[in-house]
């Protein structure tokens, strides 16, 4: 596989269950309870979907984008709260302003995640790991919220790494570890491979990132067009 550049280190910071974590921070009595942020379940007949849920709610099988009626059936005793986007944006702005201080280049990609290019000031993974811990500590100290961080040679690997050990995780992938980290993962761990693409890949006998990475790219192009090239590159950590 083509190895990522060794002289670049990227961090991906992803807040843990952001909306529900903010709600729990505002209402400490909810700590440890299954909290679901989204539409009103209306006794199981509500419409709409789950926006975010706490990790306690996930233990009941609830997840983001699930119909709220299904979530209610899985856990009718959960605490159901409406989306308070004004509050979440305010908290997000504070967190992003804090993180910008630590990066040469900063890219916010959603209300609860961002990429940090640490630049020439940090050129080894030990220093980058210490920086990631400092960011996590600062976010928790100043905002009372946990985040998970991926440290890697590029954005795609950093993003996958940040999701690897949630919540409150820190996963460091050095250039020489990219293949051993990515290849055993299920293809659904690659951003962009979702409900439509995953079954097609599985029909082709491709279930792991390693299998996708070593598949003839012409076969992928024949099935998916130009997106087949992109998938093949992402599977190879590019």
């Amino acid at each position: 596989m083509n190895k990522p550049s060794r002289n670049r280190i990227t961090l991906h910071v992803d807040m843990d269950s952001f909306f529900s974590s903010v709600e729990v921070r505002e209402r400490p009595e909810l700590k440890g309870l299954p909290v679901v942020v989204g539409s009103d379940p209306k006794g199981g007949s509500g419409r709409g979907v789950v926006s975010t849920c706490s990790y306690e709610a996930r233990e009941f099988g609830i997840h983001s984008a699930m119909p709220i009626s299904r979530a209610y059936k899985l856990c009718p005793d959960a605490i159901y709260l409406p989306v308070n986007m004004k509050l979440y944006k305010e908290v997000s702005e504070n967190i992003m302003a804090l993180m910008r201080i630590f990066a040469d280049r900063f890219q916010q990609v959603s209300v609860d995640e961002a990429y940090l290019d640490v630049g020439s000031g940090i050129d080894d993974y030990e220093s980058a790991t210490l920086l990631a811990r400092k960011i996590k500590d600062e976010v928790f100290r100043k905002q009372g919220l946990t985040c998970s961080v991926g440290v890697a040679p590029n954005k795609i690997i950093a993003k996958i790494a940040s999701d690897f050990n949630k919540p409150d995780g820190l996963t460091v992938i050095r250039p020489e570890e990219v293949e051993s980290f990515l290849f055993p993962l299920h293809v659904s761990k690659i951003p962009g491979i979702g409900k439509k693409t995953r079954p097609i890949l599985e029909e082709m006998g491709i279930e792991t990132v390693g299998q996708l990475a070593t598949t003839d790219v012409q076969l992928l192009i024949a099935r998916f067009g130009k997106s087949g090239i992109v998938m093949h590159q992402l599977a190879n950590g590019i």
Side-chain angles (χ1 to χ4, degrees), residues 201-220:
L201 288 171
E202 290 178 346
E203 287 176 8
M204 297 172 67
I206 302 170
E207 296 188 359
T208 68
V209 174
Q211 289 172 329
L212 178 59
T214 54
T215 296
D216 187 337
V217 71
Q218 295 302 324
L219 293 176
L220 297 172

Side-chain angles (χ1 to χ4, degrees), residues 180-218:
S180 62
F181 171 69
L182 287 180
F183 278 19
L185 301 177
H186 194 275
V187 288
S188 59
K189 291 296 183 180
I190 296 180
I193 295 183
K195 293 181 179 179
K196 292 183 178 180
T197 306
R198 174 178 171 174
I200 299 174
L201 288 171
E202 290 178 346
E203 287 176 8
M204 297 172 67
I206 302 170
E207 296 188 359
T208 68
V209 174
Q211 289 172 329
L212 178 59
T214 54
T215 296
D216 187 337
V217 71
Q218 295 302 324

Side-chain angles (χ1 to χ4, degrees), residues 18-119:
F18 185 54
F19 293 178
S20 59
S21 294
V22 172
E23 294 289 356
V24 172
R25 186 193 73 174
E26 298 297 301
R27 311 181 197 186
E29 68 274 12
L30 299 181
K31 186 175 182 180
L33 300 177
V35 175
V36 179
V37 177
S39 306
D40 184 352
K42 295 180 180 178
S45 62
R47 296 184 177 182
V49 299
V50 173
S51 184
T52 314
C53 63
S54 67
Y55 288 92
E56 290 82 3
R58 295 181 191 189
E59 293 179 2
F60 290 88
I62 301 173
H63 57 77
S64 299
M66 171 181 283
I68 199 72
S69 57
R70 173 63 177 161
Y72 186 83
K73 290 177 181 177
L74 291 172
C75 187
D77 295 327
I79 308 299
Y80 291 88
L81 301 172
V83 175
N84 186 348
M85 191 55 69
K86 181 175 183 292
L87 171 63
Y88 309 147
K89 285 184 177 180
E90 289 176 356
V91 177
S92 173
E93 287 172 2
N94 292 333
I95 292 170
M96 297 301 163
L98 187 160
M99 289 195 293
R100 284 178 190 273
I101 299 170
F102 296 99
D104 283 3
R105 290 191 296 171
F106 178 89
Q107 181 188 12
Q108 180 177 351
V109 290
S110 71
V111 71
D112 63 347
E113 61 178 317
Y115 292 101
L116 288 75
D117 188 330
V118 297

